[in-house]
Amino acid sequence: MKTNPLVESIKKKAFYFMLCVAMIAGLASCSSEEVTEDDIAGEYIGGSEETGDILIRISKSGSGYSFYCRYEDWGAANSRLNLQSVEWNGTFTNIPSDVVKNSKGEEIGKIEFTKTSDYVKAEFTSYTDPEGKYSAKKGGEMADLL
């Protein structure tokens, strides 16, 4: 059975139109906002019972920002008395990402900020032991916990 070429043309255009609408909706829903100086100062909370607690504290200082990160490793601890904790202190100047340097000027890691309509996320990648990525959020559901 042969279909009308006009009907086929309309179906094809409707398909491409719906495909474009879906792509635009998808891009709009997962877009992140620009991180500004006003967004990043404060405390960020992250982690879980399986991985441990993460606290990242950022404050404005002089020409840049002071950085503090504490990671409490719950996985290695067999009790609250045996909790292993690691701390990093440093400074950085650029946002949304920059290298974090300690008081000796040595690179200890990289900080990166992302922002959505609900929260600001800080992700610290440690270059020192224990190496890894430590991420925490400020705002949104986490604001209720503070």
Side-chain angles (χ1 to χ4, degrees):
M1 182 166 160
K2 192 172 182 180
T3 59
N4 187 343
L6 180 61
V7 172
E8 287 298 318
S9 175
I10 291 172
K11 283 183 179 178
K12 189 175 186 180
K13 289 178 183 176
F15 171 76
Y16 285 116
F17 175 75
M18 292 304 293
L19 182 64
C20 288
V21 168
M23 287 175 41
I24 290 169
L27 289 173
S29 68
C30 66
S31 66
S32 60
E33 299 177 21
E34 184 178 340
V35 179
T36 65
E37 287 185 13
D38 296 333
D39 296 325
I40 66 167
E43 290 191 345
Y44 298 76
I45 309 291
S48 68
E49 288 186 20
E50 291 84 30
T51 62
D53 290 336
I54 300 167
L55 169 68
I56 297 175
R57 189 176 297 133
I58 307 295
S59 58
K60 183 80 172 140
S61 65
S63 63
Y65 302 91
S66 63
F67 168 85
Y68 169 80
C69 180
R70 182 185 71 227
Y71 172 64
E72 294 178 342
D73 187 358
W74 289 95
N78 56 12
S79 75
R80 185 77 171 150
L81 299 174
N82 196 23
L83 184 66
Q84 295 182 353
S85 180
V86 181
E87 294 182 349
W88 295 270
N89 287 290
T91 59
F92 63 96
T93 53
N94 300 314
I95 56 172
S97 66
D98 198 4
V99 172
V100 179
K101 296 182 179 181
N102 64 13
S103 60
K104 298 176 185 175
E106 301 166 334
E107 293 183 3
I108 60 170
K110 178 183 176 185
I111 187 76
E112 184 171 356
F113 297 94
T114 54
K115 179 182 176 183
T116 68
S117 59
D118 295 328
Y119 59 84
V120 179
K121 178 180 174 184
E123 184 172 81
F124 174 62
T125 304
S126 171
Y127 298 162
T128 62
D129 195 33
E131 293 181 4
K133 289 189 178 193
Y134 304 90
S135 62
K137 295 178 183 176
K138 177 179 82 164
E141 293 176 9
M142 298 308 291
D144 296 337
L145 299 175
L146 298 176

